[in-house]
């Protein structure tokens, strides 16, 4: 596992241009609005997902899977690396944003809650897809985003009369609703890991 972590960190160090862009955007958002800086952790997570594509290329995987770890351990390390590092970055950005904009604590805390859920669900959905689809992921991701947007528009159109009532209910029970959504996300993450293990176990590397 240590060898895999070193392999991932070596890849990350090679992404200097993208990391410099993220650093520049962080500084820009911190000195301006402040609340939008937390969205950078989602962009960072998308960058980390590319480690899967890099690892599973034929020429790289031949070397990588000679290291002393199982495919199950590889999957677990990827979830820990991608989701864990994204969560750490989110907390760091939150602390920095509070330091620069202490008067926006409520907005930043609300944004933090939303971003944490996004990172959790994105990991659960996108990691197995990346393992399965590899370089074709970008095409499928576009299709999925369009499909989700269309479905959401249809649902909103059909529920326009009751949306106001649902918003009132959710606001009145926000801690309970958030906890339930977070727990559901953890369940989805566990299922996602099992799916990823199954997909990788069937792959010929």
């Amino acid at each position: 596992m240590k060898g895999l972590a070193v392999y991932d960190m070596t890849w990350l160090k090679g992404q200097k241009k993208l990391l410099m862009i993220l650093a520049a955007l962080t500084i820009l958002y911190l000195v301006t609005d402040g609340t939008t800086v937390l969205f950078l952790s989602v962009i960072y997570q998308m960058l980390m997902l590319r480690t899967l594509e890099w690892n599973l290329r034929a020429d790289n995987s031949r070397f990588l899977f000679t290291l002393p770890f199982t495919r199950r351990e590889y999957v677990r390390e990827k979830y820990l690396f991608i989701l864990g590092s994204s969560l750490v970055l989110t907390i760091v950005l939150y602390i920095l944003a509070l330091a620069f904009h202490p008067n926006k604590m409520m907005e930043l805390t609300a944004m933090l809650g939303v971003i944490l859920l996004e990172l959790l669900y994105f990991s659960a959905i996108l990691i197995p897809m990346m393992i399965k689809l590899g370089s074709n992921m970008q095409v499928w991701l576009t299709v999925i985003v369009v499909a989700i947007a269309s479905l959401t528009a249809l649902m909103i159109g059909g529920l326009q009369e009751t949306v106001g009532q649902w918003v009132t209910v959710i606001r009145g029970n926000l801690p309970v609703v958030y906890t339930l959504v977070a727990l559901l996300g953890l369940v989805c993450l566990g299922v996602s890991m099992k799916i990823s293990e199954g997909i990788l176990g069937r792959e010929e590397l």
Side-chain angles (χ1 to χ4, degrees), residues 7-8 10-12 15 49-61 64 74 78 130 134:
Y7 193 83
D8 284 336
T10 301
W11 179 89
L12 184 59
Q15 310 303 308
L49 283 167
R50 291 183 57 197
T51 62
L52 285 164
E53 180 186 350
W54 173 258
N55 291 165
L56 299 178
R57 287 178 182 175
D59 51 341
N60 293 331
S61 61
L64 182 63
Y74 170 82
K78 297 313 294 185
M130 181 63 81

Short mmCIF file of all heavy atoms in Angstrom, two decimals, residues 7-8 10-12 15 49-61 64 74 78 130 134:
data_model
loop_
_atom_site.label_atom_id
_atom_site.label_comp_id
_atom_site.label_asym_id
_atom_site.label_seq_id
_atom_site.Cartn_x
_atom_site.Cartn_y
_atom_site.Cartn_z
N TYR A 7 3.31 6.05 -5.52
CA TYR A 7 3.02 6.12 -6.96
C TYR A 7 2.02 7.24 -7.24
O TYR A 7 2.19 8.02 -8.19
CB TYR A 7 2.45 4.76 -7.40
CG TYR A 7 2.40 4.55 -8.89
CD1 TYR A 7 3.52 4.13 -9.60
CD2 TYR A 7 1.22 4.76 -9.60
CE1 TYR A 7 3.47 3.91 -10.95
CE2 TYR A 7 1.15 4.55 -10.96
CZ TYR A 7 2.28 4.12 -11.64
OH TYR A 7 2.23 3.92 -12.99
N ASP A 8 0.98 7.34 -6.41
CA ASP A 8 -0.03 8.39 -6.58
C ASP A 8 0.56 9.77 -6.34
O ASP A 8 0.26 10.73 -7.06
CB ASP A 8 -1.21 8.16 -5.64
CG ASP A 8 -2.12 7.04 -6.13
OD1 ASP A 8 -2.12 6.76 -7.34
OD2 ASP A 8 -2.83 6.45 -5.30
N THR A 10 3.64 10.65 -6.70
CA THR A 10 4.52 10.97 -7.83
C THR A 10 3.72 11.52 -8.99
O THR A 10 4.13 12.49 -9.65
CB THR A 10 5.30 9.71 -8.27
OG1 THR A 10 6.07 9.23 -7.16
CG2 THR A 10 6.23 10.02 -9.43
N TRP A 11 2.56 10.90 -9.26
CA TRP A 11 1.68 11.39 -10.33
C TRP A 11 1.20 12.80 -10.01
O TRP A 11 1.19 13.67 -10.89
CB TRP A 11 0.48 10.45 -10.49
CG TRP A 11 -0.48 10.91 -11.55
CD1 TRP A 11 -0.44 10.61 -12.87
CD2 TRP A 11 -1.61 11.79 -11.37
NE1 TRP A 11 -1.49 11.24 -13.53
CE2 TRP A 11 -2.21 11.97 -12.63
CE3 TRP A 11 -2.17 12.43 -10.26
CZ2 TRP A 11 -3.34 12.75 -12.83
CZ3 TRP A 11 -3.30 13.22 -10.44
CH2 TRP A 11 -3.86 13.37 -11.71
N LEU A 12 0.81 13.02 -8.76
CA LEU A 12 0.28 14.33 -8.37
C LEU A 12 1.33 15.42 -8.52
O LEU A 12 1.04 16.52 -8.98
CB LEU A 12 -0.22 14.27 -6.92
CG LEU A 12 -0.89 15.53 -6.37
CD1 LEU A 12 -2.10 15.92 -7.22
CD2 LEU A 12 -1.31 15.32 -4.92
N GLN A 15 1.58 17.05 -11.87
CA GLN A 15 0.49 17.93 -12.33
C GLN A 15 0.71 19.36 -11.85
O GLN A 15 -0.20 20.01 -11.35
CB GLN A 15 -0.86 17.39 -11.83
CG GLN A 15 -1.11 15.93 -12.10
CD GLN A 15 -1.02 15.58 -13.57
OE1 GLN A 15 -1.68 16.23 -14.40
NE2 GLN A 15 -0.23 14.59 -13.91
N LEU A 49 -9.48 11.93 -9.81
CA LEU A 49 -10.08 10.80 -10.53
C LEU A 49 -9.23 10.38 -11.72
O LEU A 49 -9.27 9.22 -12.13
CB LEU A 49 -11.49 11.16 -11.00
CG LEU A 49 -12.59 11.15 -9.93
CD1 LEU A 49 -13.85 11.81 -10.46
CD2 LEU A 49 -12.90 9.72 -9.48
N ARG A 50 -8.45 11.32 -12.24
CA ARG A 50 -7.59 10.98 -13.38
C ARG A 50 -6.48 10.01 -13.01
O ARG A 50 -5.89 9.38 -13.89
CB ARG A 50 -7.00 12.26 -13.97
CG ARG A 50 -8.02 13.17 -14.65
CD ARG A 50 -7.36 14.37 -15.27
NE ARG A 50 -6.32 14.00 -16.23
CZ ARG A 50 -5.38 14.83 -16.67
NH1 ARG A 50 -5.35 16.07 -16.24
NH2 ARG A 50 -4.49 14.43 -17.55
N THR A 51 -6.20 9.88 -11.70
CA THR A 51 -5.19 8.90 -11.29
C THR A 51 -5.64 7.48 -11.67
O THR A 51 -4.80 6.62 -11.96
CB THR A 51 -4.92 8.95 -9.77
OG1 THR A 51 -6.11 8.63 -9.05
CG2 THR A 51 -4.43 10.31 -9.36
N LEU A 52 -6.94 7.25 -11.65
CA LEU A 52 -7.46 5.93 -12.04
C LEU A 52 -7.18 5.64 -13.51
O LEU A 52 -6.74 4.55 -13.87
CB LEU A 52 -8.97 5.86 -11.76
CG LEU A 52 -9.36 5.70 -10.29
CD1 LEU A 52 -10.83 6.03 -10.11
CD2 LEU A 52 -9.06 4.31 -9.78
N GLU A 53 -7.45 6.65 -14.34
CA GLU A 53 -7.18 6.48 -15.77
C GLU A 53 -5.69 6.24 -16.00
O GLU A 53 -5.31 5.37 -16.80
CB GLU A 53 -7.63 7.74 -16.53
CG GLU A 53 -7.38 7.67 -18.03
CD GLU A 53 -7.68 8.98 -18.74
OE1 GLU A 53 -8.27 9.88 -18.11
OE2 GLU A 53 -7.31 9.10 -19.91
N TRP A 54 -4.86 6.97 -15.28
CA TRP A 54 -3.41 6.82 -15.42
C TRP A 54 -2.95 5.44 -14.94
O TRP A 54 -2.19 4.76 -15.62
CB TRP A 54 -2.72 7.92 -14.62
CG TRP A 54 -1.23 7.79 -14.55
CD1 TRP A 54 -0.51 7.32 -13.48
CD2 TRP A 54 -0.27 8.11 -15.55
NE1 TRP A 54 0.84 7.33 -13.76
CE2 TRP A 54 1.02 7.82 -15.03
CE3 TRP A 54 -0.36 8.63 -16.85
CZ2 TRP A 54 2.18 8.02 -15.75
CZ3 TRP A 54 0.81 8.82 -17.57
CH2 TRP A 54 2.06 8.53 -17.03
N ASN A 55 -3.44 5.02 -13.77
CA ASN A 55 -3.04 3.73 -13.20
C ASN A 55 -3.42 2.56 -14.10
O ASN A 55 -2.66 1.59 -14.23
CB ASN A 55 -3.69 3.51 -11.83
CG ASN A 55 -3.15 4.44 -10.76
OD1 ASN A 55 -3.77 4.58 -9.72
ND2 ASN A 55 -2.04 5.11 -11.00
N LEU A 56 -4.62 2.64 -14.69
CA LEU A 56 -5.17 1.48 -15.39
C LEU A 56 -4.84 1.44 -16.88
O LEU A 56 -5.36 0.59 -17.60
CB LEU A 56 -6.70 1.43 -15.18
CG LEU A 56 -7.12 1.29 -13.71
CD1 LEU A 56 -8.62 1.30 -13.57
CD2 LEU A 56 -6.53 0.03 -13.09
N ARG A 57 -4.01 2.38 -17.35
CA ARG A 57 -3.50 2.25 -18.71
C ARG A 57 -2.66 0.99 -18.80
O ARG A 57 -1.97 0.62 -17.86
CB ARG A 57 -2.65 3.46 -19.09
CG ARG A 57 -3.44 4.72 -19.33
CD ARG A 57 -2.50 5.87 -19.66
NE ARG A 57 -3.22 7.12 -19.86
CZ ARG A 57 -2.65 8.29 -20.06
NH1 ARG A 57 -1.32 8.37 -20.08
NH2 ARG A 57 -3.37 9.37 -20.25
N ALA A 58 -2.72 0.33 -19.94
CA ALA A 58 -2.06 -0.97 -20.09
C ALA A 58 -0.58 -0.93 -19.71
O ALA A 58 -0.10 -1.78 -18.96
CB ALA A 58 -2.22 -1.48 -21.53
N ASP A 59 0.14 0.09 -20.20
CA ASP A 59 1.58 0.14 -19.94
C ASP A 59 1.89 0.42 -18.47
O ASP A 59 2.92 -0.02 -17.94
CB ASP A 59 2.26 1.18 -20.83
CG ASP A 59 1.56 2.53 -20.77
OD1 ASP A 59 0.40 2.58 -20.35
OD2 ASP A 59 2.18 3.54 -21.15
N ASN A 60 1.00 1.16 -17.78
CA ASN A 60 1.23 1.46 -16.36
C ASN A 60 0.76 0.33 -15.45
O ASN A 60 1.41 0.02 -14.45
CB ASN A 60 0.49 2.75 -15.97
CG ASN A 60 1.09 3.97 -16.64
OD1 ASN A 60 2.27 4.00 -16.95
ND2 ASN A 60 0.27 4.97 -16.90
N SER A 61 -0.39 -0.27 -15.78
CA SER A 61 -0.95 -1.30 -14.91
C SER A 61 -0.07 -2.54 -14.83
O SER A 61 -0.04 -3.23 -13.82
CB SER A 61 -2.36 -1.69 -15.39
OG SER A 61 -2.32 -2.23 -16.69
N LEU A 64 2.31 -1.51 -12.16
CA LEU A 64 1.65 -1.18 -10.90
C LEU A 64 1.19 -2.41 -10.14
O LEU A 64 1.40 -2.53 -8.93
CB LEU A 64 0.45 -0.26 -11.17
CG LEU A 64 -0.33 0.22 -9.95
CD1 LEU A 64 0.56 1.06 -9.05
CD2 LEU A 64 -1.56 1.02 -10.38
N TYR A 74 -6.09 -2.04 -3.61
CA TYR A 74 -5.93 -0.93 -4.56
C TYR A 74 -7.19 -0.08 -4.57
O TYR A 74 -7.12 1.16 -4.51
CB TYR A 74 -5.67 -1.48 -5.96
CG TYR A 74 -5.74 -0.43 -7.05
CD1 TYR A 74 -4.67 0.40 -7.31
CD2 TYR A 74 -6.92 -0.26 -7.79
CE1 TYR A 74 -4.74 1.38 -8.29
CE2 TYR A 74 -7.00 0.71 -8.78
CZ TYR A 74 -5.92 1.53 -9.02
OH TYR A 74 -6.01 2.51 -9.99
N LYS A 78 -7.61 3.87 -3.42
CA LYS A 78 -8.07 4.92 -4.34
C LYS A 78 -9.20 5.73 -3.72
O LYS A 78 -9.24 6.96 -3.86
CB LYS A 78 -8.52 4.32 -5.67
CG LYS A 78 -7.44 3.60 -6.46
CD LYS A 78 -6.15 4.38 -6.57
CE LYS A 78 -6.28 5.64 -7.37
NZ LYS A 78 -4.97 6.30 -7.56
N MET A 130 -15.15 5.39 -13.54
CA MET A 130 -13.82 5.63 -14.09
C MET A 130 -13.06 4.31 -14.23
O MET A 130 -12.34 4.10 -15.22
CB MET A 130 -13.05 6.59 -13.18
CG MET A 130 -11.66 6.92 -13.68
SD MET A 130 -11.65 7.78 -15.27
CE MET A 130 -12.00 9.47 -14.74
N GLY A 134 -12.63 4.23 -18.02
CA GLY A 134 -11.29 4.75 -18.30
C GLY A 134 -11.31 6.03 -19.12
O GLY A 134 -11.96 7.01 -18.77
#
